[in-house]
Amino acid sequence: MKYDVFISYSRKDSAIVKKFADELSKAGYSVWMDVDGIESGDEFKKKIVSAIKESKVFLFFSSESSNASPWTVKEVNVAVMLQKPIVPVRLDDALYDDSLLLDLAGLDYIECVSKNKVLAASVKLIESLGKKMQKDIIKDGSQNRNSAKGLSRILSRINKAFSELQLVIERNYAEDGDVDAQFNLGWCYEHGEGVPQSWEEAVKWYRISANQGDSDAQYSLGLCYENGYGVYRSYADAAKWYLKSAKNGNVYAQHNLALCYARGQGVPQSWNDATKWFYKSADQGFDEAQYNMGMCCAKGYGVVQSWDEAVKWFQKAAVQGNVLAQYNLGVCYTKGNGVAKSWNEAAKWFRRSSEQGNIDAQFNLGLCYANGNGVSQSWDDAIEWYRKAVEYGNADACCSIGMCYANGTGVSQSWDDAIEWFRKAADLGCVDGYFYLGWCYDLGNGVVQSYVYAVEWYSKAADLGSPVAMFNLGLCYENGEGVLQSCEEAVKLYLRSAEHGFVDAMYSLAICYSKGKGVPQSDIKAIEWYRKAADLGFEPAIERLKDFGEV
């Protein structure tokens, strides 16, 4: 007779193992388990070997008793010899006996020790076991493939029965006051594992466990209050429970409490308190806290501004795979903030962040390829990364693709396509998208020339702080193109643009002062603005200064 599961165990563990076997039987599996005691003689040995041979999975219930049993040791040895998939189930913390160590060391196992919080991990564990065992079984031929499918099905149902049994055990312990079991039961209700999903029941058990001082339950209860799961949303209560958990050393609660202080949610806003808790969490190795600590150091929030410290924290988080830290570390390398400027390092970190889907990193990696910074120049690669960023809504990448079509770099030149991409950027609220549309209408590139539309789009970009749009809009006012001519308005726009560092606006503003256009004539003011433009290397300004005898 063939069996789905062979159970190897010590009779001292009969009570719990029998329940487990019953659950498997209820689930429809044929189980071989010795319930009558060990018989003597060769006949019984043959029965054991035959049962193991005819079983698809070998379950070994590990305990202090079974590890010392000569019978279970022999059964495991037979299972190994027959190359049966072995699933150890640990009933206590006893180490494997030396006679079992070589056979079982390294095998993934299922915890059935109520004091350990492993219920949440058991599903993933069995899933990984299933994949491993399928790989071991599948050689060649449909028969083996069918065996693998059968094994996967068995493991799935074993997992279900095991979870249900574990849930019964957890509930009994929880009702007897076991703090870990209370947390586990809350987790089950939160995730709908073995019970109907219920936030109210989850909160109930989290609260019972939290009131006994369990830091994980305190943190989970804080999350429930922060998000309004099973309770009315209350940032104050969320912060209260995060604080309790944080004081108990919970790294995630420390981070969330820091966020509460940073945002002023449930507590008075305080960057000093935020950085205090970010640091505690970051110092324990939590990558999100390390990233946020880096941002605080970069901006001087709650700490003395320091790029060296910012880079230190970004690096700690980045090597753990934190996508935002990788991107910001790349930015630091492009600017030389806290590190020696290096496009090679910048491109490396942009790539790592890009491969995890960060759209800003993808756009910046595209720029690296476009300009040959840190990588070999390649318009094909630049456009590829721009397109990846566009897929997730990066408006700057839309503009860059638009400029590729406008200039015919990496693609066939096409003003129609350029306009299409500029409109996509504008639809996403991108200031450069507004500017480029204004520029196209100004020059009649890809659209019917229209100063009126040019002014409309330049105005939108200027309102969002674009210096070049301010300057071009100033030209429209100075020349009366698309608007009533007004040198006074032109000067205002030139001044705004110049204050943003736009050199063309500095030069035009100097000319206005020199000629008294829109402002009282003033050579002193003219020379002042010519000098600012000249200091930025603007050649026409240098020539004008020569005319004034200032060079």
Side-chain angles (χ1 to χ4, degrees):
M1 179 177 177
K2 294 186 179 297
Y3 300 96
D4 292 322
V5 180
F6 179 98
I7 291 181
S8 175
Y9 74 109
S10 166
R11 286 185 60 79
K12 292 182 180 180
D13 303 317
S14 293
I16 188 170
V17 175
K18 182 64 167 61
K19 290 179 181 178
F20 188 51
D22 289 344
E23 292 298 325
L24 287 174
S25 296
K26 289 177 186 177
Y29 297 109
S30 55
V31 177
W32 195 98
M33 174 181 173
D34 168 38
V35 293
D36 299 320
I38 298 177
E39 302 174 13
S40 60
D42 293 337
E43 192 61 32
F44 182 72
K45 293 178 183 178
K46 291 180 181 179
K47 286 173 60 178
I48 292 285
V49 173
S50 175
I52 296 174
K53 279 184 177 179
E54 298 300 322
S55 296
K56 297 175 182 175
V57 178
F58 183 94
L59 280 185
F60 173 61
F61 282 83
S62 170
S63 69
E64 184 177 359
S65 299
S66 65
N67 289 337
S69 167
W71 276 106
T72 55
V73 170
K74 291 176 181 178
E75 290 168 355
V76 169
N77 290 338
V78 171
V80 171
M81 184 183 68
L82 296 175
Q83 298 183 322
K84 294 292 179 178
I86 299 175
V87 182
V89 181
R90 297 186 61 185
L91 299 179
D92 57 30
D93 293 322
L95 298 177
Y96 294 135
D97 186 79
D98 288 348
S99 57
L100 294 169
L101 199 55
L102 283 175
D103 293 329
L104 301 182
L107 287 182
D108 290 324
Y109 56 84
I110 302 169
E111 283 279 8
C112 194
V113 182
S114 64
K115 290 294 181 183
N116 293 324
K117 295 181 178 179
V118 296
L119 184 58
S122 65
V123 174
K124 292 182 180 179
L125 176 58
I126 292 295
E127 182 181 359
S128 66
L129 276 171
K131 291 178 181 177
K132 174 184 179 297
M133 293 177 187
Q134 284 187 38
K135 183 177 179 181
D136 290 341
I137 279 188
I138 297 176
K139 305 295 183 184
D140 290 302
S142 60
Q143 182 176 356
N144 285 327
R145 284 195 292 272
N146 289 335
S147 296
K149 290 177 183 178
L151 175 60
S152 178
R153 189 164 56 249
I154 291 169
L155 289 173
S156 175
R157 293 169 72 178
I158 288 174
N159 173 60
K160 179 178 182 295
F162 175 78
S163 296
E164 290 173 355
L165 177 61
Q166 182 77 349
L167 183 63
V168 171
I169 296 170
E170 294 291 352
R171 185 180 294 279
N172 289 337
Y173 275 102
E175 291 173 350
D176 288 341
D178 186 289
V179 64
D180 291 341
Q182 290 163 349
F183 168 80
N184 286 347
L185 197 52
W187 186 94
C188 288
Y189 277 111
E190 176 181 341
H191 296 277
E193 281 291 335
V195 291
Q197 199 282 334
S198 170
W199 280 109
E200 289 74 15
E201 283 294 311
V203 167
K204 167 189 166 182
W205 287 106
Y206 284 152
R207 191 185 304 280
I208 293 173
S209 182
N211 282 330
Q212 292 197 69
D214 185 88
S215 68
D216 291 335
Q218 291 166 341
Y219 167 68
S220 295
L221 192 54
L223 283 176
C224 290
Y225 273 110
E226 182 176 358
N227 295 290
Y229 296 151
V231 289
Y232 286 111
R233 173 176 284 176
S234 169
Y235 292 126
D237 283 318
K240 179 185 78 172
W241 286 108
Y242 287 150
L243 178 60
K244 289 178 182 289
S245 181
K247 286 182 176 179
N248 285 325
N250 187 291
V251 63
Y252 307 112
Q254 290 168 344
H255 177 255
N256 281 20
L257 182 60
L259 291 176
C260 290
Y261 277 111
R263 299 164 179 167
Q265 289 183 336
V267 290
Q269 199 284 331
S270 168
W271 280 111
N272 288 336
D273 286 316
T275 52
K276 166 188 168 182
W277 289 106
F278 277 143
Y279 179 83
K280 287 180 180 290
S281 181
D283 197 43
Q284 292 195 71
F286 186 41
D287 65 289
E288 290 183 32
Q290 291 169 339
Y291 162 70
N292 281 312
M293 194 67 208
M295 292 301 295
C296 288
C297 292
K299 297 178 180 294
Y301 292 161
V303 292
V304 176
Q305 197 282 332
S306 169
W307 281 111
D308 290 344
E309 284 295 305
V311 166
K312 179 188 80 173
W313 289 111
F314 287 152
Q315 286 174 332
K316 287 178 180 288
V319 295
Q320 292 195 71
N322 186 286
V323 63
L324 294 176
Q326 291 169 340
Y327 167 68
N328 279 276
L329 188 56
V331 173
C332 288
Y333 275 109
T334 66
K335 299 179 178 180
N337 289 335
V339 288
K341 187 173 181 178
S342 169
W343 280 107
N344 288 338
E345 285 295 311
K348 178 183 82 173
W349 288 109
F350 285 150
R351 184 181 302 280
R352 291 189 183 181
S353 185
S354 294
E355 289 171 348
Q356 294 195 71
N358 183 278
I359 61 175
D360 294 325
Q362 291 169 342
F363 170 65
N364 276 277
L365 186 57
L367 290 178
C368 288
Y369 276 108
N371 298 308
N373 290 330
V375 291
S376 298
Q377 198 283 332
S378 167
W379 283 111
D380 288 342
D381 287 323
I383 292 173
E384 178 184 347
W385 284 107
Y386 289 154
R387 289 187 184 278
K388 287 180 183 291
V390 165
E391 288 177 10
Y392 295 97
N394 187 288
D396 291 327
C398 292
C399 287
S400 294
I401 294 176
M403 287 305 296
C404 287
Y405 278 108
N407 297 319
T409 49
V411 290
S412 299
Q413 198 283 331
S414 169
W415 280 110
D416 289 341
D417 287 322
I419 289 291
E420 179 184 346
W421 284 103
F422 292 151
R423 287 196 186 280
K424 286 181 180 180
D427 289 342
L428 292 170
C430 177
V431 60
D432 287 339
Y434 295 151
F435 167 75
Y436 283 126
L437 281 177
W439 174 62
C440 289
Y441 277 109
D442 194 351
L443 302 178
N445 289 329
V447 291
V448 176
Q449 197 280 335
S450 169
Y451 288 127
V452 172
Y453 283 130
V455 166
E456 177 184 336
W457 288 109
Y458 283 153
S459 296
K460 289 185 177 183
D463 288 343
L464 291 176
S466 168
V468 63
M470 296 171 191
F471 172 69
N472 282 16
L473 188 57
L475 289 176
C476 290
Y477 274 102
E478 182 176 354
N479 299 317
E481 295 172 339
V483 289
L484 292 175
Q485 197 276 339
S486 172
C487 287
E488 289 76 11
E489 285 299 317
V491 167
K492 290 178 184 178
L493 288 160
Y494 291 153
L495 180 59
R496 286 173 59 195
S497 179
E499 288 173 342
H500 280 79
F502 194 65
V503 67
D504 294 75
M506 297 174 187
Y507 181 73
S508 293
L509 191 57
I511 291 176
C512 289
Y513 274 111
S514 178
K515 297 182 177 180
K517 295 177 64 175
V519 288
Q521 196 282 333
S522 171
D523 287 345
I524 294 175
K525 282 286 187 180
I527 291 171
E528 175 187 338
W529 284 106
Y530 281 139
R531 191 174 303 284
K532 289 184 178 182
D535 289 343
L536 294 174
F538 196 63
E539 285 296 331
I542 296 172
E543 293 301 317
R544 286 300 182 101
L545 285 175
K546 290 179 181 178
D547 294 340
F548 281 98
E550 294 292 323
V551 176

